[in-house]
Amino acid sequence: MLDSARDVMEGSAMLIQEAKQALIAPGDTESQQRLAQVAKAVSHSLNNCVNCLPGQKDVDVALKSIGEASKKLLVDSLPPSTKPFQEAQSELNQAAADLNQSAGEVVHATRGQSGELAAASGKFSDDFDEFLDAGIEMAGQAQTKEDQMQVIGNLKNISMASSKLLLAAKSLSVDPGAPNAKNLLAAAARAVTESINQLIMLCTQQAPGQKECDNALRELETVKGMLENPNEPVSDLSYFDCIESVMENSKVLGESMAGISQNAKTGDLPAFGECVGIASKALCGLTEAAAQAAYLVGISDPNSQAGHQGLVDPIQFARANQAIQMACQNLVDPGSSPSQVLSAATIVAKHTSALCNACRIASSKTANPVAKRHFVQSAKEVANSTANLVKTIKALDGDFSEDNRNKCRIATTPLIEAVENLTAFASNPEFASIPAQISSEGSQAQEPILVSAKTMLESSSYLIRTARSLAINPKDPPTWSVLAGHSHTVSDSIKSLITSIRDKAPGQRECDYSIDGINRCIRDIEQASLAAVSQSLATRDDISVEALQEQLTSVVQEIGHLIDPIATAARGEAAQLGHKVTQLASYFEPLILAAVGVASKMLDHQQQMTVLDQTKTLAESALQMLYAAKEGGGNPKAQHTHDAITEAAQLMKEAVDDIMVTLNEAASEVGLVGGMVDAIAEAMSKLDEGTPPEPKGTFVDYQTTVVKYSKAIAVTAQEMMTKSVTNPEELGGLASQMTTDYGHLALQGQMAAATAEPEEIGFQIRTRVQDLGHGCIFLVQKAGALQVCPTDSYTKRELIECARSVTEKVSLVLSALQAGNKGTQACITAATAVSGIIADLDTTIMFATAGTLNAENGETFADHRENILKTAKALVEDTKLLVSGAASTPDKLAQAAQSSAATITQLAEVVKLGAASLGSNDPETQVVLINAIKDVAKALSDLIGATKGAASKPADDPSMYQLKGAAKVMVTNVTSLLKTVKAVEDEATRGTRALEATIEYIKQELTVFQSKDIPEKTSSPEESIRMTKGITMATAKAVAAGNSCRQEDVIATANLSRKAVSDMLIACKQASFYPDVSEEVRTRALRYGTECTLGYLDLLEHVLVILQKPTPELKHQLAAFSKRVAGAVTELIQAAEAMKGTEWVDPEDPTVIAETELLGAAASIEAAAKKLEQLKPRAKPKQADETLDFEEQILEAAKSIAAATSALVKSASAAQRELVAQGKVGSIPANAADDGQWSQGLISAARMVAAATSSLCEAANASVQGHASEEKLISSAKQVAASTAQLLVACKVKADQDSEAMKRLQVMVTDAGGKILLLERAAGNAVKRASDNLVRAAQKAAFGKADDDDVVVKTKFVGGIAQIIAAQEEMLKKERELEEARKKLAQIRQQQYKFLPTELREDEG
């Protein structure tokens, strides 16, 4: 031992010295060779040192013994056997079984003491000698030389495999913790078993059925090891694939067991052997599936940790290495036949190809550049040496000469060396798999599966042994009984295995636990809600509201982050389901605690209930998610559950979003902005993510949206500066808006950075967007601080500074985007400027229409004509540059965009001056001129957008065709402007010109309408119907203009047509995309919108023809054109009605207005009654009991009045519906004025009842609280009685006295017991009775008060006289005020009487 250690030290010193020399001279081949030799010497010394360890020499002795025994196989020929074949076969089978068992003992001994390995290796050596002798004896039984050499070759393979087994055992005993050492030992043991099977199969072909049984038993013995400690994946099967595999294999096993029994009875041994082979495969498949299922059950436990797949599979490399070495040995063996050579060549090619593929995959996976290079280089070496070997094999196949065989031997050496080097490199611990760490709970969950599988294997082995003896001697009844018993045991164990796997499905137990936990949380939140309703929710004083807000926000965010992982696991990752649902459930207890705590700190009851309700909604949606996840179970084939999982995940996300919005609002109200800061920080962190999502657009698309959100942030910052001074309480909403905008900006900025070229620009965009995020965080924090202390001037100054900083950082983001594509950025800026010009022109049109657009300094249009024409031509040149700029450099595009924006601004100004110079007495011509420049501005805006989209695109890109189309429209509109300018002073042609321009404008609008683009917003179908009125008016105007042929009429028609058609098309398209509109109705609406526009265009074109050639025949045809338009409008209205379904009504119908007012009045009265119910009389500790009773009477009387009037208004509403049904009042009258008197009378009466009842309630409240006089209460009660009578009269005008509605109208709700009284004649009796009660109670209270008030009389004479005079003066003053009040009341009633409908006046009279 010491000598070997000394050799190691000396060799190591030499190795370091040689390494130093090699570093000094890296290119010196000689020093590299010396270094390799010294390294080999050190390795040899280390091996010698290790061999001195206890037990190692015994293994070496066993290896030497195997080597010595194997020399018996090197003879040219073997003597013939003297034993019978059956005896030799039996001895070989026994020796094979002993050797296989010894191999297992060697594997087991590596886990024990060194003495155990020594004993096991010695026994293995002895068993190998016996097996070798039995094999040589069997080889002597061979009839031909070729068969004999095949047996000898297999014995050589067994010898090599046995040596490798001992070497692997020796290596593992020295270093039990070495990576892959256990796997390599298991692979070596499996190789021994496989090579023994190959030999037995070869030697026992003369005994059908026996070899299959022996092979099956050996295979079952081998796969049994899978069930020992399943902490690594056996295959790639998912859990549900394992269940399917068990089901399929159990079915195959059942059929094959029946075949074994049947064929053993009949003596059909070939079929018997085939059934045994099928049963063996099925059992191996069952065992593999059971082991994989047990592994998945183990790692699915929340306390377990799953293993990690290694970069390469060392066992694959070891197997390939062993197979290649054996094949190369067969190649160079002089006794190999041509078929054996070809077979060996096939094996070499197969395994080297697999190795090269594994190297390619490993090099693509690893991030280590050294490892990547080494795998690639090793694969090249293996491929080159294989190619060289294949050449020599081809030569050998053509001529089996000694020279060719020698060349083949030489060619195998570099291949074996390359494969060994690659195998050694692949065994590096860096590439090894990490086994799973399974918890004790996970191991307990595995146990039922493993026990069932082991029982199945054991009983199957007994069954196959019994079947093997029955195949030789089928007439043995006791053996048949034993076979039946084993068969029954196998069936039971498989049933138990299937049940265990199904019961232990990963995640199911965790889902159940999580569901129970969340149900408990829901009960807790319900208890808190009940406490909040009863105003008894205890406030948490142990923690601040800020900390609770942060806790709640953090928990909700964590729950939101888990939604997608749970959905993914539930759809196809069963092993992860338990972990994820357990993690989710763990958040709900702190969620409930934080939510209840936050609610307890809130002063506003509504906010309390909102937080608690939304928390409960989140818990319920999580519960639904867990039920769906449990149903899905991670089974990718359970497609029927996936929709439910997706829906549950979406609902849960919505619940998270709702509660986050509420929390942000609540936080912003009290200056808590932690959630907003976290949201901005999270958006910023996403910018640093290495791999952004796959871009769905170009840089230009993302650039546009980033500009939009950046400007929105800048605008919000400016508003925050303003609100910090005027309304600090509004800062919370602005901060929330900024947070939302920055979230969108960060996402779009990440995509813009990913698509920007070069990469430096993308980095700059990303960096500046992050800087903007920091600025937004500071600003939001200052906004929160200012809300807490709105008067702090220092915080205001800081907020203003932060807002300015945000504005500056927005400009930096925009400049970075401009650097990304200066041209498109200039296009975005220019488009914004043009949008402003269009809005300005719309304002100018409003002024012109109103007749307030006047010239300055007495200018005429001639003063501006030339300037307009010159500027328009300049715009045409800019347009050409803009179109060509799309295909040129960004600088040229930017220049063209800026120039066109400046020119259109100038052109708009000169055209406005020109329109003003026409004078306000000709507004229609002014509007024509401004519309012409507005068309040009719109076309330029579209052209800039098309140019931006086509920038840097190839000539055949669709965006180029859009650009050409936009350029044509631009040219058309500029030409139209020039024509309008020239014709504007020509009274004979300017109407015609205006009409031509309008026709062109409508055609362009129709093109936009017919495009597939979905409108940004929708409008109601009622809006679409309202816009058709403009078409009707414009049609009438157009027909009139066609008949008169006056230029003024034509101009007015042109202006009106332009607006009417444009509004109709916009409203129609927006309404067609209204929510819940079916595809059929949408198509119908769009079709009739187009039909209406085309019909109107034909009408305008016909008017144009009439203007050029007015004839009676042409004018007569105007009616037909207008009818076509009217028909299309009717169809369009019907389509709009279909959008709303059967519930559509005309909102301007008087009947609808009346019913709405009645129901509104009833609602007002009910609300007032509820308010009365909550009133309590004011406390009077010093007063006697009588006043208190009167106040109670006042309240009860007021309540009864409110209830009676509410019922009365509802009855009136029912009476109105009956009138409509009887036809006395039209549902939608042809003329709105037909029933105006009736409906207006009912409406005004209902309003009076509601107003009077409301006043009564206020008076009653004020009276019992002591804030108003009893006189006001009496007056209010009398007013209720009067207005009730008026309502009853209004309803009786057209109603039948015997109708059900009138009968109901005469029934009122009255007494305290809640019974309904039938009033004999007047519907207002209940109200009158209640009013009288109220008046009496109030008067009694007033008289009682007067009686109770003590008057202090002065005793002195002068003072007494003065007191009398003062009292008389006050009395006279009150009498005069009373007289004036009576006159005023009479005047009010007279004035109101004038506005009453005739019917009511007659009835009242």
Side-chain angles (χ1 to χ4, degrees):
M1 170 72 82
L2 295 174
D3 290 341
S4 301
R6 186 180 298 106
D7 292 342
V8 170
M9 297 302 295
E10 291 173 355
S12 300
M14 291 178 64
L15 178 64
I16 294 170
Q17 187 64 31
E18 290 297 334
K20 182 179 178 183
Q21 294 298 324
L23 284 172
I24 294 171
D28 188 2
T29 308
E30 186 178 347
S31 64
Q32 294 288 339
Q33 290 176 353
R34 283 202 310 273
L35 179 63
Q37 289 171 359
V38 172
K40 286 182 181 178
V42 171
S43 178
H44 182 68
S45 300
L46 280 170
N47 287 334
N48 290 339
C49 189
V50 169
N51 289 337
C52 295
L53 293 173
Q56 298 296 304
K57 286 199 172 184
D58 298 289
V59 178
D60 289 339
V61 169
L63 283 166
K64 189 173 181 182
S65 172
I66 289 173
E68 289 295 328
S70 300
K71 290 181 180 177
K72 299 175 186 177
L73 303 174
L74 299 178
V75 296
D76 293 334
S77 61
L78 295 172
S81 174
T82 56
K83 295 180 181 179
F85 179 82
Q86 289 79 7
E87 184 182 347
Q89 184 183 25
S90 178
E91 288 179 358
L92 181 64
N93 290 342
Q94 185 60 45
D98 293 342
L99 182 62
N100 195 54
Q101 186 175 355
S102 295
E105 290 174 359
V106 168
V107 173
H108 183 72
T110 55
R111 306 190 187 108
Q113 302 295 326
S114 57
E116 293 180 20
L117 180 60
S121 58
K123 183 175 182 299
F124 182 80
S125 173
D126 295 340
D127 288 340
F128 179 78
D129 287 344
E130 293 179 9
F131 177 77
L132 194 63
D133 291 340
I136 292 172
E137 187 70 32
M138 200 67 194
Q141 297 282 345
Q143 301 297 319
T144 63
K145 178 75 172 176
E146 185 176 346
D147 290 344
Q148 192 177 76
M149 295 312 295
Q150 282 186 346
V151 174
I152 295 297
N154 277 283
L155 287 171
K156 288 179 180 178
N157 290 342
I158 293 170
S159 172
M160 183 182 296
S162 300
S163 299
K164 286 185 176 293
L165 174 64
L166 290 177
L167 287 171
K170 178 182 174 184
S171 175
L172 181 62
S173 67
V174 172
D175 185 9
N180 300 314
K182 289 182 181 178
N183 292 334
L184 292 172
L185 178 63
R190 193 156 46 245
V192 171
T193 302
E194 289 174 355
S195 55
I196 290 173
N197 284 346
Q198 289 177 2
L199 177 65
I200 297 298
M201 188 181 297
L202 181 66
C203 295
T204 56
Q205 288 176 349
Q206 290 81 5
Q210 296 300 301
K211 66 178 187 300
E212 285 86 355
C213 289
D214 293 338
N215 288 344
L217 290 169
R218 282 189 290 274
E219 286 175 355
L220 297 184
E221 188 68 27
T222 302
V223 298
K224 190 186 291 184
M226 292 181 182
L227 304 173
E228 289 302 324
N229 185 21
N231 62 350
E232 291 186 10
V234 178
S235 63
D236 294 331
L237 294 179
S238 69
Y239 195 81
F240 296 94
D241 291 337
C242 290
I243 294 177
E244 286 188 12
S245 176
V246 168
M247 298 297 292
E248 291 171 4
N249 282 307
S250 62
K251 184 178 178 182
V252 172
L253 180 61
E255 294 173 353
S256 59
M257 284 168 60
I260 288 171
S261 177
Q262 182 65 28
N263 291 318
K265 280 182 183 176
T266 58
D268 188 354
L269 294 183
F272 171 83
E274 185 178 346
C275 288
V276 170
I278 293 171
S280 174
K281 286 183 180 177
L283 285 165
C284 290
L286 281 167
T287 307
E288 184 177 320
Q292 177 70 4
Y295 165 76
L296 293 173
V297 166
I299 65 166
S300 68
D301 187 85
N303 298 319
S304 300
Q305 290 184 2
H308 296 290
Q309 191 72 29
L311 188 63
V312 293
D313 182 6
I315 297 176
Q316 178 193 3
F317 280 74
R319 285 178 183 169
N321 183 16
Q322 186 176 358
I324 290 169
Q325 287 191 12
M326 288 183 176
C328 289
Q329 194 173 3
N330 289 337
L331 279 175
V332 300
D333 193 340
S336 298
S337 64
S339 62
Q340 287 176 320
V341 169
L342 290 177
S343 175
T346 304
I347 291 171
V348 169
K350 172 186 169 185
H351 285 287
T352 53
S353 174
L355 286 178
C356 290
N357 280 331
C359 287
R360 179 179 57 78
I361 294 170
S363 67
S364 65
K365 284 183 179 178
T366 182
N368 185 345
V370 177
K372 186 187 292 284
R373 198 162 48 247
H374 200 296
F375 275 119
V376 172
Q377 187 61 34
S378 299
K380 286 181 181 177
E381 290 177 3
V382 171
N384 293 335
S385 52
T386 303
N388 293 333
L389 178 60
V390 169
K391 289 179 184 176
T392 60
I393 291 173
K394 286 182 179 178
L396 180 64
D397 186 45
D399 179 14
F400 273 84
S401 63
E402 191 61 33
D403 183 40
N404 285 339
R405 196 177 290 276
N406 192 38
K407 287 180 181 178
C408 192
R409 184 183 292 108
I410 294 169
T412 57
T413 305
L415 175 62
I416 291 172
E417 187 176 348
V419 171
E420 282 183 343
N421 291 337
L422 177 58
T423 306
F425 181 70
S427 301
N428 191 325
E430 183 185 345
F431 311 135
S433 299
I434 299 174
Q437 295 180 3
I438 296 176
S439 64
S440 57
E441 294 87 353
S443 299
Q444 289 174 5
Q446 288 178 332
E447 200 62 31
I449 298 174
L450 297 177
V451 169
S452 300
K454 288 177 181 176
T455 305
M456 175 195 71
L457 280 181
E458 190 175 347
S459 53
S460 298
S461 299
Y462 290 142
L463 183 143
I464 291 173
R465 288 193 182 97
T466 307
R468 181 175 62 182
S469 63
L470 282 174
I472 298 171
N473 182 17
K475 297 179 181 179
D476 186 5
T479 310
W480 280 108
S481 176
V482 173
L483 181 71
H486 291 320
S487 177
H488 183 69
T489 307
V490 171
S491 298
D492 289 345
S493 60
I494 289 176
K495 289 177 185 176
S496 174
L497 175 64
I498 293 172
T499 304
S500 299
I501 293 179
R502 281 183 171 163
D503 291 345
K504 297 295 180 183
Q508 296 298 304
R509 182 185 57 175
E510 288 80 5
C511 283
D512 289 336
Y513 290 158
S514 301
I515 287 169
D516 291 342
I518 293 180
N519 271 322
R520 285 195 298 274
C521 291
I522 290 175
R523 287 195 291 273
D524 292 343
I525 200 73
E526 286 174 345
Q527 290 296 324
S529 297
L530 289 173
V533 168
S534 61
Q535 303 290 330
S536 59
L537 184 62
T539 304
R540 282 189 62 182
D541 297 326
D542 59 331
I543 189 170
S544 68
V545 66
E546 293 89 347
L548 284 169
Q549 286 266 18
E550 289 180 5
Q551 284 180 12
L552 185 54
T553 302
S554 175
V555 171
V556 172
Q557 286 176 342
E558 291 299 326
I559 290 172
H561 293 156
L562 277 174
I563 297 173
D564 285 334
I566 288 178
T568 303
R571 282 193 289 260
E573 296 178 4
Q576 292 297 317
L577 184 59
H579 293 273
K580 298 303 179 187
V581 297
T582 303
Q583 192 177 356
L584 176 71
S586 68
Y587 285 123
F588 271 87
E589 190 172 344
L591 171 74
I592 301 306
L593 287 173
V596 173
V598 167
S600 71
K601 297 273 189 180
M602 290 179 169
L603 300 178
D604 184 75
H605 178 68
Q606 187 62 42
Q607 280 189 345
Q608 273 189 341
M609 296 310 299
T610 300
V611 169
L612 293 175
D613 288 346
Q614 289 182 342
T615 305
K616 183 183 175 185
T617 301
L618 178 57
E620 289 171 344
S621 64
L623 196 63
Q624 184 178 349
M625 180 74 184
L626 289 180
Y627 280 123
K630 183 183 177 185
E631 182 72 18
N635 186 0
K637 295 181 181 177
Q639 296 287 342
H640 62 284
T641 65
H642 291 181
D643 289 342
I645 293 169
T646 304
E647 182 181 354
Q650 185 59 36
L651 289 174
M652 199 170 169
K653 287 178 182 177
E654 290 173 2
V656 167
D657 291 342
D658 289 345
I659 197 169
M660 285 303 297
V661 168
T662 301
L663 288 174
N664 283 339
E665 289 176 354
S668 63
E669 285 176 8
V670 294
L672 300 179
V673 292
M676 300 183 203
V677 170
D678 291 342
I680 296 175
E682 184 178 355
M684 289 167 60
S685 67
K686 290 182 180 178
L687 284 166
D688 289 328
E689 290 180 358
T691 307
E694 188 66 27
K696 296 181 180 178
T698 63
F699 174 76
V700 175
D701 300 327
Y702 297 119
Q703 181 186 29
T704 305
T705 50
V706 170
V707 169
K708 181 178 78 173
Y709 288 119
S710 298
K711 290 184 176 179
I713 288 173
V715 170
T716 305
Q718 291 296 323
E719 287 186 20
M720 291 175 80
M721 289 174 65
T722 306
K723 297 297 182 184
S724 66
V725 179
T726 56
N727 297 308
E729 65 274 6
E730 295 183 16
L731 288 174
L734 293 173
S736 181
Q737 180 62 42
M738 179 173 285
T739 303
T740 305
D741 287 339
Y742 185 80
H744 295 306
L745 173 66
L747 178 61
Q748 298 297 319
Q750 184 186 23
M751 304 309 296
T755 51
E757 293 181 1
E759 291 184 3
E760 290 78 7
I761 299 295
F763 176 76
Q764 190 179 39
I765 292 172
R766 194 180 301 111
T767 304
R768 291 188 176 178
V769 171
Q770 281 185 325
D771 288 344
L772 176 58
H774 289 298
C776 291
I777 286 176
F778 292 143
L779 181 55
V780 168
Q781 288 173 336
K782 294 304 174 188
L786 190 59
Q787 281 183 287
V788 174
C789 187
T791 58
D792 186 356
S793 58
Y794 184 76
T795 306
K796 286 182 182 179
R797 285 197 300 272
E798 286 186 329
L799 184 141
I800 292 170
E801 288 300 321
C802 289
R804 287 173 180 163
S805 173
V806 166
T807 307
E808 291 172 3
K809 289 178 179 180
V810 166
S811 64
L812 291 176
V813 171
L814 296 179
S815 64
L817 291 169
Q818 185 170 0
N821 195 321
K822 187 177 179 182
T824 53
Q825 182 63 33
C827 287
I828 295 171
T829 307
T832 305
V834 175
S835 298
I837 292 169
I838 294 171
D840 182 49
L841 290 172
D842 282 330
T843 306
T844 308
I845 289 174
M846 288 170 53
F847 283 125
T849 307
T852 58
L853 188 63
N854 296 307
E856 296 179 4
N857 304 325
E859 297 172 341
T860 63
F861 185 75
D863 298 332
H864 300 285
R865 186 191 301 110
E866 290 303 321
N867 202 4
I868 293 173
L869 296 176
K870 183 176 69 174
T871 311
K873 289 176 182 177
L875 183 62
V876 171
E877 295 301 319
D878 289 337
T879 302
K880 293 177 182 176
L881 291 174
L882 192 60
V883 174
S884 62
S888 61
T889 63
D891 289 335
K892 289 185 178 179
L893 177 58
Q895 186 178 357
Q898 292 165 358
S899 177
S900 60
T903 308
I904 190 67
T905 304
Q906 184 181 355
L907 181 59
E909 288 301 322
V910 295
V911 170
K912 283 196 293 184
L913 290 173
S917 68
L918 291 173
S920 58
N921 56 349
D922 191 6
E924 295 295 346
T925 307
Q926 288 180 324
V927 171
V928 168
L929 190 58
I930 298 169
N931 273 331
I933 181 59
K934 182 182 168 186
D935 292 345
V936 172
K938 274 189 172 181
L940 180 60
S941 179
D942 294 340
L943 179 61
I944 290 172
T947 306
K948 181 186 67 175
S952 305
K953 297 284 178 66
D956 57 348
D957 192 85
S959 58
M960 282 296 183
Y961 296 111
Q962 293 179 2
L963 176 61
K964 291 176 182 176
K968 287 180 182 177
V969 173
M970 180 70 187
V971 171
T972 302
N973 287 358
V974 172
T975 306
S976 177
L977 171 65
L978 295 175
K979 289 180 180 178
T980 302
V981 169
K982 292 176 181 176
V984 77
E985 290 183 311
D986 185 359
E987 294 183 0
T989 61
R990 63 185 180 185
T992 306
R993 177 69 218 118
L995 196 59
E996 289 173 349
T998 296
I999 291 171
E1000 182 59 37
Y1001 172 80
I1002 292 174
K1003 286 179 179 178
Q1004 293 174 11
E1005 288 294 304
L1006 183 60
T1007 304
V1008 174
F1009 177 78
Q1010 291 174 329
S1011 68
K1012 302 293 184 182
D1013 299 335
I1014 298 175
E1016 293 182 359
K1017 63 177 182 177
T1018 60
S1019 62
S1020 64
E1022 290 93 334
E1023 182 71 16
S1024 177
I1025 293 172
R1026 190 154 50 247
M1027 289 304 151
T1028 57
K1029 294 181 180 178
I1031 295 290
T1032 305
M1033 291 173 59
T1035 304
K1037 197 94 171 175
V1039 172
N1043 284 322
S1044 70
C1045 294
R1046 294 174 65 243
Q1047 292 293 315
E1048 292 80 2
D1049 294 343
V1050 175
I1051 292 174
T1053 299
N1055 291 335
L1056 182 61
S1057 301
R1058 173 189 288 262
K1059 185 174 189 319
V1061 175
S1062 175
D1063 290 346
M1064 183 274 293
L1065 290 176
I1066 292 171
C1068 178
K1069 190 159 188 178
Q1070 289 180 348
S1072 65
F1073 286 91
Y1074 194 68
D1076 301 329
V1077 173
S1078 67
E1079 187 63 34
E1080 180 186 355
V1081 174
R1082 177 181 297 128
T1083 306
R1084 180 178 159 198
L1086 294 175
R1087 182 171 76 248
Y1088 285 115
T1090 303
E1091 179 65 28
C1092 180
T1093 307
L1094 291 174
Y1096 195 78
L1097 275 172
D1098 290 344
L1099 172 63
L1100 292 184
E1101 287 173 348
H1102 189 71
V1103 170
L1104 199 60
V1105 171
I1106 292 173
L1107 289 175
Q1108 293 166 355
K1109 187 180 178 183
T1111 62
E1113 293 80 8
L1114 291 175
K1115 290 182 180 180
H1116 185 69
Q1117 293 174 10
L1118 284 170
F1121 284 102
S1122 64
K1123 283 181 181 178
R1124 179 187 170 189
V1125 176
V1129 167
T1130 303
E1131 293 287 350
L1132 187 57
I1133 291 173
Q1134 290 175 356
E1137 290 175 2
M1139 291 180 197
K1140 285 290 286 182
T1142 57
E1143 297 297 320
W1144 184 86
V1145 293
D1146 184 359
E1148 296 181 4
D1149 176 18
T1151 309
V1152 176
I1153 295 172
E1155 184 170 353
T1156 304
E1157 290 291 343
L1158 284 169
L1159 294 177
S1164 299
I1165 293 168
E1166 285 181 357
K1170 287 180 181 177
K1171 186 174 181 181
L1172 278 170
E1173 288 175 5
Q1174 297 172 358
L1175 293 180
K1176 301 286 183 185
R1178 69 182 184 276
K1180 290 187 178 180
K1182 296 181 181 180
Q1183 295 288 331
D1185 294 338
E1186 288 81 7
T1187 307
L1188 193 64
D1189 290 338
F1190 295 145
E1191 288 176 350
E1192 294 287 357
Q1193 291 176 32
I1194 288 170
L1195 288 178
E1196 289 302 320
K1199 289 177 186 176
S1200 63
I1201 289 177
T1205 49
S1206 175
L1208 180 62
V1209 171
K1210 288 180 179 176
S1211 300
S1213 179
Q1216 180 198 0
R1217 290 197 192 94
E1218 186 177 285
L1219 291 177
V1220 174
Q1222 290 172 354
K1224 294 189 177 182
V1225 178
S1227 177
I1228 302 178
N1231 186 353
D1234 290 352
D1235 289 293
Q1237 283 187 333
W1238 176 84
S1239 60
Q1240 189 59 41
L1242 186 55
I1243 291 167
S1244 60
R1247 284 174 176 164
M1248 287 174 66
V1249 172
T1253 307
S1254 179
S1255 298
L1256 168 70
C1257 295
E1258 292 297 328
N1261 183 20
S1263 178
V1264 298
Q1265 298 296 333
H1267 301 311
S1269 65
E1270 280 75 3
E1271 288 81 1
K1272 181 177 180 182
L1273 183 62
I1274 296 168
S1275 174
S1276 299
K1278 288 182 176 179
Q1279 184 60 38
V1280 171
S1283 59
T1284 304
Q1286 187 173 347
L1287 175 61
L1288 186 59
V1289 170
C1291 290
K1292 289 167 68 178
V1293 170
K1294 289 190 177 180
D1296 292 336
Q1297 293 299 318
D1298 296 331
S1299 72
E1300 289 296 324
M1302 284 305 298
K1303 290 176 183 178
R1304 284 196 302 272
L1305 194 60
Q1306 293 171 350
V1307 178
M1308 290 291 111
V1309 178
T1310 54
D1311 62 9
K1315 295 180 180 180
I1316 300 175
L1317 298 180
L1318 176 64
L1319 304 182
E1320 296 177 355
R1321 296 185 61 186
N1325 283 352
V1327 178
K1328 186 174 184 300
R1329 184 184 310 157
S1331 300
D1332 292 342
N1333 291 338
L1334 179 60
V1335 171
R1336 282 197 297 273
Q1339 287 176 342
K1340 185 177 181 181
F1343 295 151
K1345 181 180 177 183
D1347 292 341
D1348 291 344
D1349 288 342
D1350 294 329
V1351 179
V1352 179
V1353 180
K1354 295 182 179 181
T1355 56
K1356 292 186 178 181
F1357 181 76
V1358 176
I1361 293 295
Q1363 192 175 13
I1364 292 171
I1365 293 171
Q1368 289 176 341
E1369 179 187 3
E1370 187 177 358
M1371 183 182 69
L1372 291 171
K1373 188 186 296 182
K1374 295 292 183 185
E1375 287 176 352
R1376 188 168 60 253
E1377 288 177 359
L1378 175 63
E1379 188 65 28
E1380 289 175 356
R1382 282 176 177 162
K1383 289 179 181 179
K1384 187 175 181 182
L1385 176 62
Q1387 290 174 356
I1388 291 171
R1389 285 178 173 167
Q1390 287 173 3
Q1391 292 298 322
Q1392 286 182 340
Y1393 186 75
K1394 292 179 181 179
F1395 297 108
L1396 284 177
T1398 308
E1399 296 169 0
L1400 291 183
R1401 277 189 276 176
E1402 289 172 357
D1403 203 312
E1404 285 182 353

